[in-house]
Amino acid sequence: MKSLKARNNKLSNTKSQLEVLEGELFQTELPTFQTKTAQYGQPGLKPNQLEILQINMGYMCNQVCKHCHVDAGPDRREIMSQSHLQKCLGILQNHNIPTVDLTGGAPEMNPHFRWFVEEAHEIGVKEIIVRSNLTIILANKKYYDLPDFFKKHQVNVVSSLPFYEKKRTDAQRGEGVFDKSIQALKMLNEVGYGQVGSSLQLDLVYNPVGAFLPGSQAELEAEYKRMLKADFNIDFNQLFTITNLPISRFLDYLLASDNYEDYMEKLVEAFNPAALDGLMCKNTLSVDWDGYLYDCDFNQMLALKVDAPKSQHIDNFDLNVLSQREIITNQHCYGCTAGAGSSCQGSLI
Amino acid sequence: MSKDQSYYVPKDLKKFSQISEFEPKLAEKFFDWYGEVFKAGALSEREKSLIALAVAHAVQCPYCIDAYTEESMKKGASEAMMMEAVHISGAIRGGASMVHGVQMMNKAKKLSM
């Protein structure tokens, strides 16, 4: 399987995705996200204090997952440069941002990844998160020591494992991914990740393999812990349940499988106003490989830059200007407010 | 009824709550009770969804089959778990017929010399 971009799929153009999200369904049958939030007294969302700088280090990945909102894959060549990463370090330091969240693609494939983690550790960023797809650890000899590298720099590892069984995981992430993920989790456990009494944090991410919403995070976490321990003797800390947002390859899947309308109805029906205050766009800024700023990684993939014309790039990063902005929303945002809410740190309620 | 009509319309599942239109008081009591039934208790929410899925097959309710297939998946049930639930439904339905064979045998033996 190739990325939408490599296949010249219509949806690789972000405008086409927005046309779907703003299409007939939301002009006739369902309320737009903005209309919905306005009903609960929040016609426009505003950010709170910035706590997380989420850096997308590039769209290159060793996997091609069917649901990927980044449309990542081996054929993607967008990679963040060292000079941009250096500027991000400056932003983290100058503004005392406690958390840096590294994502991709596979962030480890960025040639400056290790340098950046070392520097971030050196300047005292409190929390360094790496969203690792696990299989990268086994993809090439040069990555085999990543568990030790993560340990040395006290990196929190957050990894997708959409199910604790092979069939469903491989259906979403590709043939053989489950077995390699299990092997990588064992390597992380061996150096101390996810162990009782260890400070090395290993969290897993569950996202539904299909057009349905995630169930209770607590119940699924208990089941994951029981099954992964029983079947593979694997330990981890927390399970984050994340709702699939209707963009990029997941949107392509929804449309191709004739699930789009039903899925959007489910998201709208499950709208939970209590999730609004904890939305990740309120305490996070997302940076793309080219240095542009977004309210979240999903807006990044829709090319919806922050609504702050004077501070849309790391070159002119101005936290005062950014803190005054209004968060850009569209119908995909229903994915973060459905049920117990959804964010990169799991459910919100 | 025209060819493209059916007694079972998938979209009607979403109108379930509208049964309150004709009798609101009883509907309110029913939905309150229904909601409580499916909350985690001595059984987990997932176990309850799988039982509901099995019962849905026993009573052959297409709305319930759609609803509890999705609920079971949401709660992390695997394909194997869901199919085992359906087999339980089949086994109980089949067993319910077969166990009456004892009644048939009793009667036959009574009537026989």
Side-chain angles (χ1 to χ4, degrees), chain A residues 5-72:
Chain A
K5 191 176 180 187
R7 283 183 272 152
N8 287 320
N9 183 301
K10 192 180 166 193
L11 290 180
S12 65
N13 180 342
T14 54
K15 282 182 187 164
S16 298
Q17 294 186 48
L18 289 168
E19 277 170 21
V20 174
L21 293 171
E22 291 166 353
E24 197 184 344
L25 184 65
F26 285 93
Q27 290 167 13
T28 53
E29 290 180 43
L30 299 174
T32 63
F33 186 77
Q34 204 164 19
T35 305
K36 195 74 171 176
T37 59
Q39 286 170 6
Y40 292 91
Q42 297 198 48
L45 302 180
K46 301 288 280 185
N48 299 327
Q49 190 174 349
L50 179 61
E51 292 172 326
I52 303 169
L53 191 69
Q54 187 174 59
I55 302 173
N56 193 311
M57 299 184 83
Y59 302 157
M60 187 182 283
C61 190
N62 59 316
Q63 292 184 189
V64 192
C65 302
K66 280 187 188 162
H67 72 305
C68 182
H69 73 276
V70 179
D71 193 27

Side-chain angles (χ1 to χ4, degrees), chain A residues 146-175:
Chain A
L146 276 172
D148 289 314
F149 176 78
F150 292 152
K151 178 183 179 176
K152 185 178 174 191
H153 300 286
Q154 295 286 302
V155 170
N156 289 353
V157 179
V158 179
S159 294
S160 280
L161 190 71
F163 207 49
Y164 48 74
E165 287 182 0
K166 181 178 169 64
K167 186 180 170 189
R168 219 177 270 182
T169 295
D170 284 1
Q172 181 181 82
R173 297 176 76 75
E175 193 62 37

Side-chain angles (χ1 to χ4, degrees), chain A residues 214-231:
Chain A
S216 150
Q217 184 165 281
E219 283 211 11
L220 283 166
E221 181 181 290
E223 196 57 22
Y224 261 67
K225 288 199 167 177
R226 190 176 72 80
M227 296 298 284
L228 289 177
K229 189 72 183 169
D231 292 349

Side-chain angles (χ1 to χ4, degrees), chain A residues 163-165 168 206 212-215 219-220 223 262 265-266 269, chain B residues 11 14 40 44-46 70 73-79 81-82:
Chain A
F163 207 49
Y164 48 74
E165 287 182 0
R168 219 177 270 182
Y206 164 89
F212 55 98
L213 307 186
E219 283 211 11
L220 283 166
E223 196 57 22
D262 281 348
E265 274 182 46
K266 275 177 220 168
E269 275 174 21
Chain B
K11 280 194 178 287
K14 288 174 189 151
S44 69
E45 289 186 3
R46 190 173 73 182
E70 184 162 347
M73 291 176 80
K74 273 174 74 169
K75 292 171 175 43
S78 65
E79 284 82 351
M81 288 176 184
M82 292 189 288

Side-chain angles (χ1 to χ4, degrees), chain A residues 52-53 55 92 97-102 116 120 125 127-129:
Chain A
I52 303 169
L53 191 69
I55 302 173
L92 286 162
I97 301 170
T99 301
V100 64
D101 185 341
L102 303 177
F116 182 84
V125 175
E127 185 183 25
I128 304 171
I129 298 170

